[in-house]
């Protein structure tokens, strides 16, 4: 039996490679080996069409170029891999992996856009309309694929059975540029003779209300429509096509209102039995309108859809101050409720959602104008009726249930967690239960806000893809979940909206909601997502092609800022958000931070210019690399001259100012840098180790202290429980990361500011420091081809662990301390190496190859 085994290869960043949009998808594989120190020397790839690479002398196993003829639309092909080790070992063939292309050419689309009649739609966030069509099969079939999307949100059934398990399909893209479709294998849902396909169609992001300050409606159009193409293949190789065309019919249905913010209203008495099955009497239904659409905008997904990923039971049934029944699910989530209820026809059960309680009642003020209210009107069946909204999600831990017939049994209500169905790839734990809870809060905030796009919050009238939030949280996100496919899609929208507006918008997809910023205003730290996020994903995945795709966007951002800064190299004019929501900002003025916004902007400018120069060098653009390198140096020099005193004091004397200057390498001279580092430590100690940073400084502060040799101060900052601090929220019962350090005040009341969400991941960016420094696991080369193991034990912790499924397999670092004795366990995946830095010899790394390693050392004074 071979001791080297190859896992089934994967394609690009897909979890389910059905209907992909790449005609030549890159391949990745991991190796499981019982041979210590195993490294790949060569590989061979075989395709199901008989093609083979033969033996290729290469150690590459991640995002390897497609080895055969490009896939055509609808084409399905299998791939398997075997590998050869440097030691002469060889694996057997991996299991086959299968990939199938979607519709790669706009000409492949024959479907029109079937639109409900206007009088069925009502105002935005109105009823969800039913659409249906019957068709017949003329012979036994061998396969059937449904390619489907919508202007709006859709839920499709074939012969009364739901198609797929997507939620909020097709998701939210910059619809004017890109509209995702999904491919479903529906072979098993079809039967001989008559068949029917039906869809519920709601407004969603396309036509419904989106955005803060009252939002906007009908941003992308005033007519919803379904675009569906069912392709059936018979045993003799012939095919039939069923598309959205003039044969579709429409009618009103049981969803009487559907709003992403306000919730869904459903009257079960209005559901026509059998409406999506053949033989249904649709005599009262009217022909749907057939609208034009641009198939060139239709794109296949690069990541997984939103799905129901978990259900939670109530942990307590509470009684509010007015006798109301409130269910506590013990965890703040993004999702909705599923109920089982029996009662008289016409009885309406309502469910209102909130993240926190206020005086024992639902704390709904932070929701602003979002009602977050679902309502179900019973059909009156003898058996319990089960219902879950289809076209909305809420951010909540608590739900108030009114109108329940009889006594409410908590077993009849479940919270359904909904988010992008990403694969979990990162874990962390340590000896401090508060830190473990903080890390869980970070994970849950990511889950609650990765709902097709990376949003800021899941609960109030906002839920937008704010660029600044994901820019700072990207490293933590990429460690915790395989989110590269999802974020690649979002970055493509960023590029499209950037080209349209002339700058990187504050949020993506971009909609103009008015306010103090013009659509063309570049905003530091937010717009820098165009540069920083692609670079972060490259560092964590090794995907050079993602950098190549985003390079025009990256350079366009830096070029625009260069123009704004002018000859001085300082970006100190124009509107900015600065170090948003630092603790000194008044509740009603979150941008009034302690750090000069011009300092923040110029520092971000210098970093982005440097990253673009590095990207240009990597991509082989030598002249660009030189030009952007010179720009980065010019901006760095300008920052140093303008904001750093001769001895090394940074203007504003704030934690964020020093963290930016030190982490981005903006101070000349070792003595001046040492002075700045010492002053940062002084500031942190003077604050009683309470945090003084906002969205920009928070991801940097612990690293800046660590590099200053003040690891103990970084730990004391992290372990602080007094407000403001990371653990303050934990001690107040938080189960997600808050938007502001004091979203809940010490007396238990809700912060009076409008920016008061209890589920924002930005301040949870500290999790990246916990992974890399506290536990000690980080990439030393892009994609973890080489691993940096450098734990910095401290804070009185007795053990910590981080594990990450790298592109090469699982890497793990675990340390434990007994007295002054430290034991370090390291797992290095096959085909990689690690540089292990022991705390007692941090500058003398130990080389470690694939396999498990154990190291011991004494750490006096750190017990």
């Amino acid at each position: 039996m071979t001791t080297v085994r190859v896992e089934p290869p994967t394609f690009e960043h897909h979890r389910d490679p059905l209907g992909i949009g790449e005609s030549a998808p890159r391949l990745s594989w991991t190796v499981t080996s019982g041979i210590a120190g195993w490294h790949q020397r060569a590989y061979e790839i075989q395709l199901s069409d008989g093609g083979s690479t033969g033996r290729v002398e290469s150690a590459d196993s991640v995002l390897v170029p497609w080895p055969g003829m490009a896939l055509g639309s609808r084409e399905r092909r299998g791939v398997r891999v075997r590998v050869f080790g440097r030691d002469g070992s060889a694996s057997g063939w991996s299991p086959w992996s299968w990939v199938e292309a979607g519709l790669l050419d706009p000409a492949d689309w024959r479907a029109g856009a079937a639109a409900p009649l206007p009088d069925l739609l009502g105002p935005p966030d109105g009823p969800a309309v039913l659409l249906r069509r019957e068709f017949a099969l003329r012979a036994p079939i061998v396969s059937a694929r449904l390619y489907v999307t919508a202007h709006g949100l859709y839920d499709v059934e074939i012969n009364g059975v739901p198609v797929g398990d997507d939620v909020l399909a097709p998701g939210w893209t910059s619809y004017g540029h890109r509209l995702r479709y999904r491919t479903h294998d529906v072979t098993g849902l079809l039967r001989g003779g008559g068949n029917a396909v039906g869809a519920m169609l709601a407004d969603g992001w396309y036509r419904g209300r989106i955005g803060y300050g009252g939002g906007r409606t009908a941003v992308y159009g005033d007519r919803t429509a379904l675009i569906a193409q069912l392709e059936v293949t018979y045993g003799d190789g012939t095919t039939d096509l069923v598309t959205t065309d003039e044969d579709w019919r429409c009618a009103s249905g049981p969803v009487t209102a559907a709003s992403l913010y306000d919730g869904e209203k459903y009257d079960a008495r209005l559901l026509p039995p059998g409406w999506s099955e053949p033989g249904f009497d649709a005599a009262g239904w009217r022909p749907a309108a057939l609208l034009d659409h641009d198939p060139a905008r239709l794109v296949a997904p690069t990541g997984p859809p939103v799905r129901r990923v978990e259900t939670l039971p109530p942990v307590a049934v509470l009684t509010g101050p007015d006798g109301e029944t409130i269910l506590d699910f013990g965890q703040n989530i993004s999702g909705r409720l599923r109920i089982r209820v029996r009662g008289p026809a016409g009885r309406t059960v309502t469910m209102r959602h909130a993240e926190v309680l206020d005086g024992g009642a639902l704390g709904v003020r932070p929701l602003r104008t979002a009602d977050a209210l679902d309502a179900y009107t019973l059909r009156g069946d003898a058996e319990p009726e089960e219902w879950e909204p289809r076209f909305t999600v809420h951010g909540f831990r608590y739900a108030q249930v009114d109108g329940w017939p009889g006594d409410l049994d908590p077993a009849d209500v479940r919270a359904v967690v909904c988010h992008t169905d990403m694969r979990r790839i990162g874990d962390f734990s340590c000896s401090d239960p508060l830190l473990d809870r903080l890390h869980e809060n970070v994970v849950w905030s990511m889950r609650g806000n990765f709902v097709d796009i990376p949003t800021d919050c899941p609960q109030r009238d906002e839920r937008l893809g704010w660029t600044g939030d994901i820019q700072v949280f990207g490293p933590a996100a990429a460690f915790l979940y395989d989110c590269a496919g999802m974020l690649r899609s979002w970055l493509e929208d960023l590029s499209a909206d950037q080209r349209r507006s002339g700058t990187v918008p504050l949020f993506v997809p971009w909609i103009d909601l008015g306010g103090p910023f013009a659509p063309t205003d570049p905003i530091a730290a937010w717009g820098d997502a165009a540069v920083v996020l692609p670079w972060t994903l490259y560092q964590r995945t090794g995907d050079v092609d993602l950098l190549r795709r985003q390079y025009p966007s990256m350079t366009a951002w830096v070029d625009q800022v260069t123009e704004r800064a002018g000859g001085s190299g300082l970006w100190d004019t124009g509107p900015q958000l600065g170090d948003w929501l630092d603790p000194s900002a008044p509740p009603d003025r979150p941008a009034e931070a302690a750090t000069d916004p011009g300092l923040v902007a110029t520092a971000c400018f210098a970093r982005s210019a440097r990253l673009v120069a590095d990207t240009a060098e990597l991509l082989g653009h030598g002249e660009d690399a030189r030009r952007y390198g010179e720009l980065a140096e010019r901006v760095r020099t300008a920052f140093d001259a303008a904001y750093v005193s001769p001895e090394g004091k940074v203007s504003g004397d704030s934690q964020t100012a020093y963290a930016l200057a030190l982490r981005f390498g903006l101070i000349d001279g070792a003595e001046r840098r040492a002075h700045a580092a010492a002053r940062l430590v002084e500031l942190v100690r003077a604050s009683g180790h309470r945090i003084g940073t906002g969205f920009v400084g928070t991801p940097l502060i612990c690293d800046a202290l660590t590099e200053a040799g003040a690891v103990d101060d970084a730990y004391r900052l992290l372990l602080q429980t007094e407000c403001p601090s990371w653990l303050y929220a934990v001690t107040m019962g938080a189960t997600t990361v808050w938007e502001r350090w004091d979203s809940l005040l010490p007396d238990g009341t809700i912060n009076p500011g409008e920016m008061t969400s209890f589920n924002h991941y930005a301040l949870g960016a500290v999790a990246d420091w916990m992974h890399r420094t506290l536990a000690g696991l980080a990439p030393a080369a892009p994609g973890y081809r080489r691993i940096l193991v450098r734990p910095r034990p401290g804070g009185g912790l007795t053990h910590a662990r981080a594990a990450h499924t790298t592109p090469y397999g699982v890497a793990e670092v675990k340390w434990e301390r007994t007295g002054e004795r430290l034991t370090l366990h390291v797992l290095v995946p096959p085909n990689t190496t690690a540089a292990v830095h022991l705390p007692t010899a941090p500058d003398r790394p130990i080389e470690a190859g694939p396999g498990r390693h154990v190291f011991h050392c004494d750490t006096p004074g750190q017990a």
Side-chain angles (χ1 to χ4, degrees):
M1 181 176 180
T2 181
T3 58
V4 179
R5 185 176 73 251
V6 184
E7 301 301 320
T10 59
F11 306 90
E12 294 291 336
H13 300 289
H14 295 288
R15 289 195 73 180
D16 179 15
L18 173 65
I20 71 170
E22 298 91 351
S23 61
R26 295 167 296 170
L27 306 176
S28 301
W29 57 86
T30 59
V31 175
T32 303
S33 171
I35 303 173
W38 190 90
H39 283 272
Q40 178 182 301
R41 178 176 179 175
Y43 65 79
E44 182 177 3
I45 302 172
Q46 190 175 81
L47 289 88
S48 57
D49 61 4
S52 173
T53 61
R55 178 173 169 138
V56 177
E57 298 294 321
S58 171
D60 292 342
S61 61
V62 175
L63 300 172
V64 173
W66 177 251
M69 295 287 292
L71 296 170
S73 292
R74 311 172 184 85
E75 187 173 358
R76 179 176 172 84
R77 209 173 299 176
V79 174
R80 64 178 182 173
V81 178
R82 64 178 175 182
V83 297
F84 307 89
R86 293 179 187 172
D87 58 356
S89 61
S91 73
W93 286 105
S94 73
W96 287 97
S97 287
W98 293 86
V99 62
E100 182 175 319
L103 303 182
L104 304 181
D105 190 320
D108 295 322
W109 285 93
R110 296 289 185 269
L117 300 181
D119 63 303
L120 294 177
L121 294 177
D125 290 338
V129 180
L130 303 182
L131 293 158
R132 73 182 309 274
R133 185 194 194 283
E134 293 198 21
F135 60 95
L137 299 180
R138 52 185 170 81
I141 69 169
V142 294
S143 70
R145 298 290 186 266
L146 178 66
Y147 306 96
V148 60
T149 188
H151 295 162
L153 301 179
Y154 69 84
D155 206 68
V156 180
E157 300 178 6
I158 289 180
N159 296 331
V161 179
V163 173
D165 54 4
D166 300 11
V167 171
L168 303 180
W172 189 12
T173 51
S174 181
Y175 295 133
H177 304 98
R178 302 170 62 249
L179 175 61
R180 283 196 303 262
Y181 69 90
R182 287 274 291 164
T183 303
H184 296 279
D185 180 354
V186 296
T187 309
L189 299 183
L190 300 181
R191 55 203 189 204
N195 292 265
V197 56
M200 284 191 183
L201 190 62
D203 291 343
W205 295 282
Y206 190 85
R207 182 175 180 264
R209 176 167 69 109
I210 47 178
Y212 52 82
R216 289 182 55 195
T217 60
V219 169
Y220 301 101
D222 58 4
R223 299 282 297 276
T224 56
L226 181 74
I227 303 167
Q229 185 159 307
L230 175 63
E231 300 189 357
V232 179
T233 302
Y234 295 97
D236 62 1
T238 60
T239 61
D240 274 346
L241 203 60
V242 179
T243 67
T244 35
D245 57 17
E246 60 276 356
D247 292 330
W248 286 67
R249 302 180 73 82
C250 60
S252 58
V255 178
T256 59
S259 167
L260 290 166
Y261 295 167
D262 296 328
E264 184 172 318
K265 295 179 174 60
Y266 188 101
D267 189 338
R269 299 169 300 176
L270 303 179
L271 178 67
W275 70 277
S276 63
E277 300 180 49
F280 173 77
D281 183 5
W285 291 43
R286 294 184 288 168
L290 193 62
L291 306 180
D292 290 331
H293 71 96
D294 183 1
R297 293 180 182 173
L298 302 183
V299 296
T302 56
V306 177
R307 290 191 172 107
R308 304 167 182 87
V309 294
E310 187 175 353
T311 58
L312 301 176
V315 299
V317 180
L318 310 175
T319 301
D322 295 325
E324 59 268 42
T325 298
I326 299 174
L327 301 179
D328 176 6
F329 292 92
Q331 175 61 54
N332 199 17
I333 69 165
S334 172
R336 60 263 189 122
L337 297 184
R338 180 184 298 154
I339 62 173
R340 281 172 48 87
V341 59
R342 181 168 57 188
R347 171 69 69 92
T348 297
V349 177
T350 62
M351 295 147 281
R352 194 164 195 193
H353 307 75
E355 297 183 296
V356 295
L357 298 179
D358 184 7
L362 292 187
V364 297
R365 181 176 58 79
L367 301 179
R368 301 195 297 219
T369 65
D371 284 343
L373 178 70
D374 297 328
Y376 179 74
T377 301
L378 280 72
R379 190 167 44 247
D381 294 352
E383 297 299 319
E385 303 171 35
E386 185 170 298
W387 180 72
E388 173 190 331
R390 301 176 189 231
F391 302 116
T392 192
V393 288
H394 309 290
F396 70 100
R397 170 177 172 171
Y398 301 93
Q400 178 177 320
V401 181
D402 295 312
W404 193 273
D407 294 330
L408 173 60
D409 183 349
D412 288 331
V413 184
R414 290 290 183 268
V416 182
V417 180
C418 300
H419 58 72
T420 297
D421 190 19
M422 306 166 291
R423 178 173 59 104
R424 179 76 182 268
I425 57 174
D427 290 297
F428 169 90
S429 62
C430 72
S431 59
D432 189 315
L434 293 181
L435 286 184
D436 278 355
R437 182 65 249 187
L438 170 63
H439 192 268
E440 274 302 289
N441 290 1
V442 174
V443 172
W444 275 103
S445 278
M446 179 175 175
R447 295 177 67 181
N449 282 292
F450 273 54
V451 181
D452 198 64
I453 64 170
T455 63
D456 59 325
C457 59
Q459 76 297 99
R460 67 190 181 208
D461 58 349
E462 191 164 354
R463 313 184 199 183
L464 302 171
W466 285 89
T467 46
D469 299 51
I470 189 59
Q471 185 264 120
V472 299
F473 189 71
F479 181 92
L480 294 171
Y481 283 91
D482 181 3
C483 53
M486 170 192 170
L487 292 177
R488 172 183 156 183
S489 176
W490 183 79
L491 283 168
E492 289 183 12
D493 281 329
L494 182 150
S495 298
D497 285 344
Q498 179 185 15
R499 289 191 298 269
R500 177 182 64 169
S501 64
T503 193
V504 178
L506 282 169
F507 46 83
V508 173
W510 168 251
I511 54 175
D512 189 357
L513 296 169
F517 300 108
T520 55
D521 283 334
I523 305 296
W526 277 253
D528 289 287
V531 174
V532 177
L533 185 59
W535 183 258
T536 296
L537 293 174
Y538 163 66
Q539 290 294 317
R540 298 308 176 98
T541 68
D543 190 349
V544 179
D545 186 62
L546 189 147
L547 280 181
R548 188 173 291 109
R549 287 173 175 271
Q550 294 303 127
Y551 185 71
S553 167
M554 298 167 75
T555 56
W557 168 253
V558 171
D559 290 348
Q560 182 189 22
V561 176
T562 302
E563 183 179 347
R564 289 295 177 103
S568 70
L570 300 175
W571 189 11
D572 55 0
T573 59
Q576 294 291 348
L577 292 174
D579 191 26
W580 182 256
L581 280 172
D582 87 352
S584 68
D588 58 341
R589 298 189 299 278
E592 292 186 14
T595 308
D596 179 354
L599 182 154
V600 172
T602 303
C604 291
F605 179 22
R607 176 179 59 161
S608 283
R610 170 48 54 198
L611 292 181
V612 168
D614 292 345
T615 301
E617 184 72 28
L618 184 71
L619 299 179
H621 304 313
E623 177 56 30
D624 281 3
R626 182 196 61 76
R627 179 164 55 89
Y628 287 111
E630 291 175 354
L631 172 64
E633 179 61 22
R634 182 164 63 85
V635 178
R636 190 196 66 78
T637 301
F639 179 97
D640 192 17
Y643 296 114
V644 187
S645 72
E647 69 273 12
K649 181 179 180 179
V650 181
S651 176
D653 208 32
S654 69
Q655 291 182 16
T656 290
Y658 286 100
L660 283 165
L662 290 166
R663 286 294 293 153
F664 294 172
L666 305 179
I667 304 176
D668 271 335
E671 290 186 5
R672 296 173 74 232
R673 287 194 296 272
H675 180 92
R679 180 55 184 158
L680 172 61
V681 175
E682 287 178 2
L683 288 173
V684 170
R685 291 174 181 174
S687 72
H689 291 91
R690 291 176 177 84
I691 195 73
T693 57
F695 276 31
V696 175
T698 294
L700 308 172
I701 182 70
C702 285
D703 277 304
L705 290 169
T706 301
E707 291 179 358
V711 178
D712 183 60
D713 291 284
Y715 269 102
R716 292 183 66 182
L717 193 70
L718 179 67
L719 292 167
Q720 174 64 256
T721 58
E722 297 296 322
C723 185
S725 68
W726 284 287
L727 293 187
Y728 165 72
V730 175
T731 65
M732 294 295 287
T735 62
T736 44
V737 176
W738 295 348
E739 179 178 20
R740 57 198 318 154
W741 298 109
D742 58 350
S743 285
L744 204 65
L745 302 180
D747 63 3
T749 60
I750 299 171
N751 189 295
E754 184 180 278
M755 302 293 172
T756 306
S757 155
F758 293 89
N759 196 349
H760 257 67
Y761 53 63
L763 298 180
V766 71
D768 181 50
W769 185 85
M770 296 166 69
H771 303 148
R772 291 183 291 102
T773 306
L774 193 161
L777 175 58
Y784 292 85
R785 188 64 177 266
R786 182 166 172 80
I787 296 165
L788 176 63
V789 177
R790 191 171 186 171
R792 302 290 187 93
L797 299 183
T798 58
H799 63 81
R801 170 186 176 271
H804 179 72
T805 303
T806 78
Y808 300 90
V810 176
E812 182 183 37
V813 176
K814 180 172 62 175
W815 60 261
E816 53 196 27
R817 191 164 55 199
T818 304
E820 295 183 350
R821 187 71 166 170
L822 182 79
T823 302
L824 177 65
H825 302 263
V826 178
L827 173 62
V828 182
N831 216 24
T832 67
T833 60
V836 180
H837 297 254
L838 298 179
T840 50
D843 299 324
R844 298 197 302 273
I846 301 169
E847 191 72 11
R852 293 190 177 273
H853 307 269
V854 181
F855 304 91
H856 302 278
C857 65
D858 292 324
T859 55
Q862 296 189 41

